Amino acid sequence: MSNPEASRTSRGPVIGVFDSGFGGLTVLRELLPLIPGAHYIYLGDTARLPYGAKSRETIARYAVSSAQFLEQQGAELLVIACNTATALALQDVRLAVTLPVVGVIEPGASAVAHAAGSAKDVLVLATSATVQSHAYHDACLALGLRTTEIACPLLVPLVEEGWGDHHVTKEVLRIYLKDALAQCTPSAVLLGCTHYPLIKHVITSVLRELASDAAVIDSAHATAHAVTAQLGLNRRGHADVPATFECFATDSTDKFQRLGSSFLDQEIDSVTLLDLGG
Ligand code: DGL
């Protein structure tokens, strides 16, 4: 339920969730049914999207400003629902706020390790900035996995254009995945970008076409469970109280409502415009 008025009276935790734009709503979608009574404050930094092609300094500055805004709004816990911001700015955000901070990289790495089983080769698809940071490589290596990371910069604009099922998206995926499968034979593929869960079915079908039976994993589900673990079981007592959310965006609220509803898989009733500066 998108209802800020009701939200602040609920007795559950207030959780801040942020992303460079809409993609983090795939994480919020997983969180909503998990923690009854929680109130989520979601911030999509749409004016400064995409983060995936920017420098570490810029991404860190943007991520810190989003985190500080959510702390001022009363969040008790922060979720960086963005792979690029987690990969490049998790430490900066942790230093800038006094709240516990959960990112998507470690939960994603754990989920892909689980899916890979005894086979140790995994493929990570992500933005250029995430791949260059090697954050997934490092997190996967710590779990004993061999990782091949491939940057897929064309996928975010295609998903945002609503072209998930378009033949152009399939063709682009064929190019990326052929290149990746020439380098490795993964038993699991990790979708290391919040936009990719929306085209999970297309990625899976192109993998099958290329004779790969790799499991396709996204970090949204695992991240949501990492949040419940962080909160502790004693915070999950309001089974009869639905979770609520409110949304802020730094650019067009109309676009956020329209596109965001498909990422969240439910209507977004209202969005508040926010200016976080340049
Ligand atoms: N949210 C970003 C991520 O998960 C993708 C969009 C962007 O590049 O800003 O990496």
Side-chain angles (χ1 to χ4, degrees):
M1 184 195 349
S2 151
N3 182 354
E5 298 298 313
S7 60
R8 298 296 176 128
T9 60
S10 76
R11 290 156 297 138
V14 177
I15 300 173
V17 182
F18 72 92
D19 176 41
S20 55
F22 313 93
L25 291 165
T26 57
V27 178
L28 181 60
R29 183 173 70 188
E30 295 287 338
L31 278 164
L32 281 170
L34 268 194
I35 308 168
H39 177 61
Y40 297 95
I41 310 171
Y42 183 92
L43 167 55
D45 190 10
T46 42
R48 304 188 292 195
L49 173 114
Y51 285 8
K54 295 195 167 69
S55 69
R56 200 205 77 78
E57 289 71 22
T58 300
I59 294 164
R61 182 161 55 84
Y62 291 173
V64 164
S65 64
S66 292
Q68 287 173 332
F69 170 77
L70 291 169
E71 184 173 39
Q72 284 156 14
Q73 291 294 304
E76 298 163 49
L77 180 136
L78 282 186
V79 184
I80 309 182
C82 174
N83 291 265
T84 306
T86 305
L88 288 109
L90 179 62
Q91 288 316 323
D92 300 79
V93 170
R94 285 195 167 137
L95 289 172
V97 296
T98 56
L99 315 173
V101 181
V102 175
V104 290
I105 302 275
E106 279 191 15
S110 300
V112 81
H114 186 72
S118 55
K120 296 292 179 198
D121 282 299
V122 301
L123 170 64
V124 177
L125 307 178
T127 64
S128 302
T130 299
V131 166
Q132 277 159 26
S133 77
H134 297 304
Y136 270 116
H137 174 271
D138 296 346
C140 289
L141 187 66
L143 299 171
L145 301 172
R146 281 182 299 270
T147 310
T148 302
E149 298 167 293
I150 297 284
C152 307
L154 295 178
L155 295 184
V156 166
L158 287 168
V159 171
E160 297 228 341
E161 206 50 49
W163 278 28
D165 289 307
H166 199 285
H167 68 91
V168 168
T169 306
K170 265 202 156 174
E171 199 47 43
V172 166
L173 274 167
R174 278 188 196 106
I175 294 167
Y176 285 142
L177 292 174
K178 255 188 207 158
D179 178 36
L181 295 176
Q183 299 175 46
C184 64
T185 309
S187 52
V189 175
L190 178 62
L191 307 185
C193 171
T194 49
H195 282 59
Y196 303 171
L198 270 93
I199 51 167
K200 189 173 182 171
H201 59 293
V202 190
I203 294 171
T204 306
S205 102
V206 173
L207 281 168
R208 301 297 174 259
E209 200 184 290
L210 298 173
S212 167
D213 63 355
V216 181
I217 305 298
D218 71 71
S219 53
H221 184 73
T223 302
H225 282 276
V227 172
T228 62
Q230 174 72 44
L231 285 168
L233 291 174
N234 59 338
R235 296 305 301 269
R236 303 183 63 196
H238 311 293
D240 52 335
V241 186
T244 54
F245 65 91
E246 64 189 297
C247 292
F248 292 86
T250 56
D251 194 17
S252 166
T253 54
D254 284 351
K255 186 176 180 193
F256 191 95
Q257 257 179 292
R258 192 167 23 84
L259 203 55
S261 299
S262 68
F263 279 77
L264 191 59
D265 208 17
Q266 67 170 275
E267 282 306 308
I268 297 174
D269 300 333
S270 71
V271 182
T272 306
L273 186 62
L274 177 71
D275 185 357
L276 284 177

